[in-house]
mmCIF file of all heavy atoms in Angstrom:
data_model
loop_
_atom_site.group_PDB
_atom_site.id
_atom_site.type_symbol
_atom_site.label_atom_id
_atom_site.label_comp_id
_atom_site.label_asym_id
_atom_site.label_seq_id
_atom_site.Cartn_x
_atom_site.Cartn_y
_atom_site.Cartn_z
ATOM 1 N N GLN A 79 -23.936 -7.845 81.174
ATOM 2 C CA GLN A 79 -22.619 -8.042 81.802
ATOM 3 C C GLN A 79 -21.958 -6.695 82.062
ATOM 4 O O GLN A 79 -21.342 -6.501 83.116
ATOM 5 C CB GLN A 79 -21.735 -8.914 80.920
ATOM 6 C CG GLN A 79 -22.163 -10.355 80.887
ATOM 7 C CD GLN A 79 -21.366 -11.167 79.878
ATOM 8 O OE1 GLN A 79 -20.496 -10.654 79.178
ATOM 9 N NE2 GLN A 79 -21.669 -12.444 79.803
ATOM 10 N N CYS A 80 -22.084 -5.763 81.139
ATOM 11 C CA CYS A 80 -21.533 -4.425 81.336
ATOM 12 C C CYS A 80 -22.203 -3.723 82.511
ATOM 13 O O CYS A 80 -21.552 -2.988 83.266
ATOM 14 C CB CYS A 80 -21.683 -3.587 80.066
ATOM 15 S SG CYS A 80 -20.664 -4.127 78.675
ATOM 16 N N MET A 81 -23.504 -3.968 82.684
ATOM 17 C CA MET A 81 -24.258 -3.356 83.785
ATOM 18 C C MET A 81 -23.734 -3.796 85.151
ATOM 19 O O MET A 81 -23.897 -3.078 86.134
ATOM 20 C CB MET A 81 -25.745 -3.694 83.661
ATOM 21 C CG MET A 81 -26.445 -2.956 82.544
ATOM 22 S SD MET A 81 -28.131 -3.577 82.216
ATOM 23 C CE MET A 81 -28.890 -3.395 83.831
ATOM 24 N N GLU A 82 -23.094 -4.941 85.217
ATOM 25 C CA GLU A 82 -22.512 -5.395 86.473
ATOM 26 C C GLU A 82 -21.408 -4.446 86.930
ATOM 27 O O GLU A 82 -21.137 -4.323 88.123
ATOM 28 C CB GLU A 82 -21.954 -6.813 86.330
ATOM 29 C CG GLU A 82 -23.023 -7.858 86.082
ATOM 30 C CD GLU A 82 -22.440 -9.233 85.773
ATOM 31 O OE1 GLU A 82 -21.249 -9.474 86.045
ATOM 32 O OE2 GLU A 82 -23.202 -10.071 85.231
ATOM 33 N N PHE A 83 -20.760 -3.768 85.999
ATOM 34 C CA PHE A 83 -19.690 -2.831 86.309
ATOM 35 C C PHE A 83 -20.174 -1.390 86.321
ATOM 36 O O PHE A 83 -19.630 -0.551 87.022
ATOM 37 C CB PHE A 83 -18.551 -2.969 85.286
ATOM 38 C CG PHE A 83 -17.962 -4.345 85.248
ATOM 39 C CD1 PHE A 83 -18.286 -5.225 84.227
ATOM 40 C CD2 PHE A 83 -17.103 -4.779 86.246
ATOM 41 C CE1 PHE A 83 -17.757 -6.505 84.188
ATOM 42 C CE2 PHE A 83 -16.569 -6.056 86.221
ATOM 43 C CZ PHE A 83 -16.894 -6.925 85.187
ATOM 44 N N ASP A 84 -21.189 -1.098 85.508
ATOM 45 C CA ASP A 84 -21.719 0.258 85.387
ATOM 46 C C ASP A 84 -23.216 0.150 85.073
ATOM 47 O O ASP A 84 -23.586 -0.133 83.940
ATOM 48 C CB ASP A 84 -20.980 1.006 84.280
ATOM 49 C CG ASP A 84 -21.448 2.444 84.107
ATOM 50 O OD1 ASP A 84 -22.489 2.834 84.695
ATOM 51 O OD2 ASP A 84 -20.783 3.188 83.361
ATOM 52 N N PRO A 85 -24.061 0.369 86.069
ATOM 53 C CA PRO A 85 -25.505 0.234 85.866
ATOM 54 C C PRO A 85 -26.075 1.145 84.777
ATOM 55 O O PRO A 85 -27.147 0.872 84.240
ATOM 56 C CB PRO A 85 -26.105 0.596 87.227
ATOM 57 C CG PRO A 85 -24.995 0.416 88.208
ATOM 58 C CD PRO A 85 -23.725 0.685 87.460
ATOM 59 N N LEU A 86 -25.363 2.208 84.420
ATOM 60 C CA LEU A 86 -25.856 3.119 83.392
ATOM 61 C C LEU A 86 -25.917 2.460 82.012
ATOM 62 O O LEU A 86 -26.602 2.966 81.115
ATOM 63 C CB LEU A 86 -24.997 4.383 83.331
ATOM 64 C CG LEU A 86 -25.090 5.292 84.558
ATOM 65 C CD1 LEU A 86 -24.161 6.484 84.412
ATOM 66 C CD2 LEU A 86 -26.524 5.742 84.791
ATOM 67 N N PHE A 87 -25.257 1.324 81.847
ATOM 68 C CA PHE A 87 -25.354 0.595 80.583
ATOM 69 C C PHE A 87 -26.792 0.159 80.302
ATOM 70 O O PHE A 87 -27.108 -0.206 79.175
ATOM 71 C CB PHE A 87 -24.416 -0.617 80.574
ATOM 72 C CG PHE A 87 -23.039 -0.311 80.051
ATOM 73 C CD1 PHE A 87 -22.076 0.247 80.869
ATOM 74 C CD2 PHE A 87 -22.711 -0.587 78.726
ATOM 75 C CE1 PHE A 87 -20.815 0.527 80.391
ATOM 76 C CE2 PHE A 87 -21.448 -0.304 78.229
ATOM 77 C CZ PHE A 87 -20.493 0.259 79.063
ATOM 78 N N SER A 88 -27.654 0.233 81.296
ATOM 79 C CA SER A 88 -29.059 -0.142 81.097
ATOM 80 C C SER A 88 -29.724 0.694 80.008
ATOM 81 O O SER A 88 -30.684 0.244 79.389
ATOM 82 C CB SER A 88 -29.840 -0.036 82.402
ATOM 83 O OG SER A 88 -29.883 1.314 82.839
ATOM 84 N N VAL A 89 -29.201 1.899 79.737
ATOM 85 C CA VAL A 89 -29.774 2.743 78.686
ATOM 86 C C VAL A 89 -29.576 2.133 77.300
ATOM 87 O O VAL A 89 -30.213 2.572 76.337
ATOM 88 C CB VAL A 89 -29.212 4.187 78.707
ATOM 89 C CG1 VAL A 89 -29.476 4.864 80.045
ATOM 90 C CG2 VAL A 89 -27.750 4.222 78.338
ATOM 91 N N LEU A 90 -28.732 1.106 77.201
ATOM 92 C CA LEU A 90 -28.459 0.469 75.916
ATOM 93 C C LEU A 90 -29.286 -0.790 75.672
ATOM 94 O O LEU A 90 -29.145 -1.435 74.636
ATOM 95 C CB LEU A 90 -26.967 0.123 75.805
ATOM 96 C CG LEU A 90 -25.992 1.296 75.933
ATOM 97 C CD1 LEU A 90 -24.557 0.802 75.828
ATOM 98 C CD2 LEU A 90 -26.278 2.371 74.895
ATOM 99 N N ARG A 91 -30.155 -1.125 76.599
ATOM 100 C CA ARG A 91 -30.943 -2.352 76.464
ATOM 101 C C ARG A 91 -31.803 -2.356 75.190
ATOM 102 O O ARG A 91 -31.820 -3.340 74.459
ATOM 103 C CB ARG A 91 -31.816 -2.575 77.704
ATOM 104 C CG ARG A 91 -31.020 -2.866 78.970
ATOM 105 C CD ARG A 91 -31.944 -2.967 80.177
ATOM 106 N NE ARG A 91 -32.736 -4.180 80.087
ATOM 107 C CZ ARG A 91 -32.383 -5.358 80.592
ATOM 108 N NH1 ARG A 91 -31.251 -5.466 81.228
ATOM 109 N NH2 ARG A 91 -33.160 -6.409 80.468
ATOM 110 N N ASP A 92 -32.521 -1.269 74.947
ATOM 111 C CA ASP A 92 -33.370 -1.217 73.751
ATOM 112 C C ASP A 92 -32.526 -1.309 72.477
ATOM 113 O O ASP A 92 -32.901 -2.009 71.530
ATOM 114 C CB ASP A 92 -34.206 0.065 73.732
ATOM 115 C CG ASP A 92 -35.326 0.053 74.764
ATOM 116 O OD1 ASP A 92 -35.646 -1.036 75.304
ATOM 117 O OD2 ASP A 92 -35.876 1.133 75.046
ATOM 118 N N ALA A 93 -31.414 -0.597 72.461
ATOM 119 C CA ALA A 93 -30.522 -0.649 71.297
ATOM 120 C C ALA A 93 -30.055 -2.076 71.057
ATOM 121 O O ALA A 93 -30.022 -2.558 69.914
ATOM 122 C CB ALA A 93 -29.328 0.280 71.503
ATOM 123 N N ALA A 94 -29.719 -2.776 72.126
ATOM 124 C CA ALA A 94 -29.250 -4.162 72.015
ATOM 125 C C ALA A 94 -30.334 -5.057 71.419
ATOM 126 O O ALA A 94 -30.059 -5.892 70.551
ATOM 127 C CB ALA A 94 -28.818 -4.687 73.382
ATOM 128 N N GLU A 95 -31.561 -4.873 71.870
ATOM 129 C CA GLU A 95 -32.659 -5.705 71.364
ATOM 130 C C GLU A 95 -32.948 -5.428 69.885
ATOM 131 O O GLU A 95 -33.244 -6.343 69.122
ATOM 132 C CB GLU A 95 -33.915 -5.484 72.209
ATOM 133 C CG GLU A 95 -33.792 -6.128 73.587
ATOM 134 C CD GLU A 95 -35.077 -6.048 74.397
ATOM 135 O OE1 GLU A 95 -36.163 -6.079 73.788
ATOM 136 O OE2 GLU A 95 -34.980 -5.950 75.623
ATOM 137 N N ILE A 96 -32.836 -4.175 69.490
ATOM 138 C CA ILE A 96 -33.108 -3.820 68.093
ATOM 139 C C ILE A 96 -31.977 -4.282 67.174
ATOM 140 O O ILE A 96 -32.221 -4.807 66.082
ATOM 141 C CB ILE A 96 -33.341 -2.295 67.967
ATOM 142 C CG1 ILE A 96 -34.652 -1.921 68.673
ATOM 143 C CG2 ILE A 96 -33.351 -1.855 66.500
ATOM 144 C CD1 ILE A 96 -34.842 -0.428 68.894
ATOM 145 N N LEU A 97 -30.736 -4.115 67.609
ATOM 146 C CA LEU A 97 -29.592 -4.427 66.753
ATOM 147 C C LEU A 97 -29.283 -5.921 66.640
ATOM 148 O O LEU A 97 -28.793 -6.374 65.602
ATOM 149 C CB LEU A 97 -28.341 -3.697 67.250
ATOM 150 C CG LEU A 97 -28.324 -2.183 67.053
ATOM 151 C CD1 LEU A 97 -27.131 -1.571 67.770
ATOM 152 C CD2 LEU A 97 -28.307 -1.827 65.573
ATOM 153 N N THR A 98 -29.538 -6.691 67.682
ATOM 154 C CA THR A 98 -29.147 -8.106 67.680
ATOM 155 C C THR A 98 -29.604 -8.880 66.443
ATOM 156 O O THR A 98 -28.788 -9.594 65.843
ATOM 157 C CB THR A 98 -29.609 -8.804 68.973
ATOM 158 O OG1 THR A 98 -28.838 -8.276 70.067
ATOM 159 C CG2 THR A 98 -29.406 -10.308 68.911
ATOM 160 N N PRO A 99 -30.846 -8.776 66.018
ATOM 161 C CA PRO A 99 -31.263 -9.574 64.853
ATOM 162 C C PRO A 99 -30.486 -9.265 63.568
ATOM 163 O O PRO A 99 -30.414 -10.096 62.674
ATOM 164 C CB PRO A 99 -32.743 -9.218 64.679
ATOM 165 C CG PRO A 99 -33.172 -8.682 65.999
ATOM 166 C CD PRO A 99 -31.969 -8.043 66.602
ATOM 167 N N TYR A 100 -29.890 -8.089 63.497
ATOM 168 C CA TYR A 100 -29.170 -7.717 62.281
ATOM 169 C C TYR A 100 -27.876 -8.518 62.099
ATOM 170 O O TYR A 100 -27.268 -8.452 61.030
ATOM 171 C CB TYR A 100 -28.876 -6.223 62.260
ATOM 172 C CG TYR A 100 -30.137 -5.375 62.188
ATOM 173 C CD1 TYR A 100 -30.223 -4.174 62.863
ATOM 174 C CD2 TYR A 100 -31.237 -5.787 61.451
ATOM 175 C CE1 TYR A 100 -31.371 -3.389 62.796
ATOM 176 C CE2 TYR A 100 -32.392 -5.027 61.383
ATOM 177 C CZ TYR A 100 -32.444 -3.826 62.056
ATOM 178 O OH TYR A 100 -33.594 -3.071 61.985
ATOM 179 N N ALA A 101 -27.483 -9.271 63.093
ATOM 180 C CA ALA A 101 -26.310 -10.137 62.941
ATOM 181 C C ALA A 101 -26.582 -11.246 61.945
ATOM 182 O O ALA A 101 -25.660 -11.730 61.284
ATOM 183 C CB ALA A 101 -25.906 -10.730 64.289
ATOM 184 N N THR A 102 -27.857 -11.647 61.820
ATOM 185 C CA THR A 102 -28.168 -12.790 60.955
ATOM 186 C C THR A 102 -29.366 -12.585 60.020
ATOM 187 O O THR A 102 -29.421 -13.215 58.969
ATOM 188 C CB THR A 102 -28.456 -14.037 61.809
ATOM 189 O OG1 THR A 102 -29.516 -13.747 62.728
ATOM 190 C CG2 THR A 102 -27.210 -14.470 62.582
ATOM 191 N N THR A 103 -30.320 -11.740 60.386
ATOM 192 C CA THR A 103 -31.589 -11.657 59.659
ATOM 193 C C THR A 103 -31.431 -11.467 58.153
ATOM 194 O O THR A 103 -32.087 -12.138 57.379
ATOM 195 C CB THR A 103 -32.464 -10.526 60.223
ATOM 196 O OG1 THR A 103 -32.734 -10.813 61.590
ATOM 197 C CG2 THR A 103 -33.783 -10.410 59.475
ATOM 198 N N PHE A 104 -30.568 -10.582 57.737
ATOM 199 C CA PHE A 104 -30.445 -10.267 56.315
ATOM 200 C C PHE A 104 -29.172 -10.850 55.693
ATOM 201 O O PHE A 104 -28.844 -10.541 54.556
ATOM 202 C CB PHE A 104 -30.474 -8.750 56.106
ATOM 203 C CG PHE A 104 -31.733 -8.117 56.614
ATOM 204 C CD1 PHE A 104 -31.736 -7.400 57.795
ATOM 205 C CD2 PHE A 104 -32.928 -8.263 55.925
ATOM 206 C CE1 PHE A 104 -32.899 -6.815 58.277
ATOM 207 C CE2 PHE A 104 -34.098 -7.688 56.399
ATOM 208 C CZ PHE A 104 -34.091 -6.959 57.578
ATOM 209 N N ARG A 105 -28.482 -11.678 56.426
ATOM 210 C CA ARG A 105 -27.192 -12.195 55.958
ATOM 211 C C ARG A 105 -27.325 -13.330 54.955
ATOM 212 O O ARG A 105 -26.386 -13.604 54.210
ATOM 213 C CB ARG A 105 -26.349 -12.673 57.152
ATOM 214 C CG ARG A 105 -26.000 -11.606 58.154
ATOM 215 C CD ARG A 105 -25.064 -10.564 57.631
ATOM 216 N NE ARG A 105 -23.757 -11.125 57.371
ATOM 217 C CZ ARG A 105 -22.841 -10.568 56.597
ATOM 218 N NH1 ARG A 105 -23.079 -9.433 56.005
ATOM 219 N NH2 ARG A 105 -21.687 -11.141 56.406
ATOM 220 N N TYR A 106 -28.443 -13.993 54.933
ATOM 221 C CA TYR A 106 -28.618 -15.157 54.074
ATOM 222 C C TYR A 106 -29.905 -15.023 53.274
ATOM 223 O O TYR A 106 -30.836 -14.346 53.702
ATOM 224 C CB TYR A 106 -28.648 -16.435 54.927
ATOM 225 C CG TYR A 106 -27.405 -16.581 55.762
ATOM 226 C CD1 TYR A 106 -27.390 -16.197 57.101
ATOM 227 C CD2 TYR A 106 -26.228 -17.066 55.208
ATOM 228 C CE1 TYR A 106 -26.235 -16.300 57.858
ATOM 229 C CE2 TYR A 106 -25.068 -17.177 55.959
ATOM 230 C CZ TYR A 106 -25.077 -16.792 57.283
ATOM 231 O OH TYR A 106 -23.924 -16.891 58.015
ATOM 232 N N PRO A 107 -29.983 -15.669 52.122
ATOM 233 C CA PRO A 107 -31.217 -15.612 51.332
ATOM 234 C C PRO A 107 -32.404 -16.157 52.138
ATOM 235 O O PRO A 107 -32.246 -17.047 52.967
ATOM 236 C CB PRO A 107 -30.926 -16.526 50.141
ATOM 237 C CG PRO A 107 -29.447 -16.600 50.048
ATOM 238 C CD PRO A 107 -28.948 -16.465 51.468
ATOM 239 N N GLY A 108 -33.544 -15.589 51.885
ATOM 240 C CA GLY A 108 -34.752 -16.018 52.578
ATOM 241 C C GLY A 108 -35.869 -15.044 52.326
ATOM 242 O O GLY A 108 -35.841 -14.241 51.385
ATOM 243 N N GLU A 109 -36.838 -15.083 53.204
ATOM 244 C CA GLU A 109 -38.009 -14.238 53.059
ATOM 245 C C GLU A 109 -37.669 -12.754 53.136
ATOM 246 O O GLU A 109 -38.149 -11.954 52.353
ATOM 247 C CB GLU A 109 -39.003 -14.591 54.175
ATOM 248 C CG GLU A 109 -40.415 -14.722 53.685
ATOM 249 C CD GLU A 109 -41.303 -15.234 54.793
ATOM 250 O OE1 GLU A 109 -41.412 -16.464 54.933
ATOM 251 O OE2 GLU A 109 -41.871 -14.392 55.506
#
Side-chain angles (χ1 to χ4, degrees):
Q79 289 173 359
C80 292
M81 287 170 57
E82 294 173 17
F83 301 103
D84 181 349
L86 293 178
F87 270 83
S88 64
V89 301
L90 301 179
R91 293 176 70 90
D92 288 345
E95 287 186 32
I96 292 167
L97 289 172
T98 291
Y100 295 143
T102 56
T103 299
F104 301 104
R105 298 293 293 161
Y106 303 98
E109 225 173 272

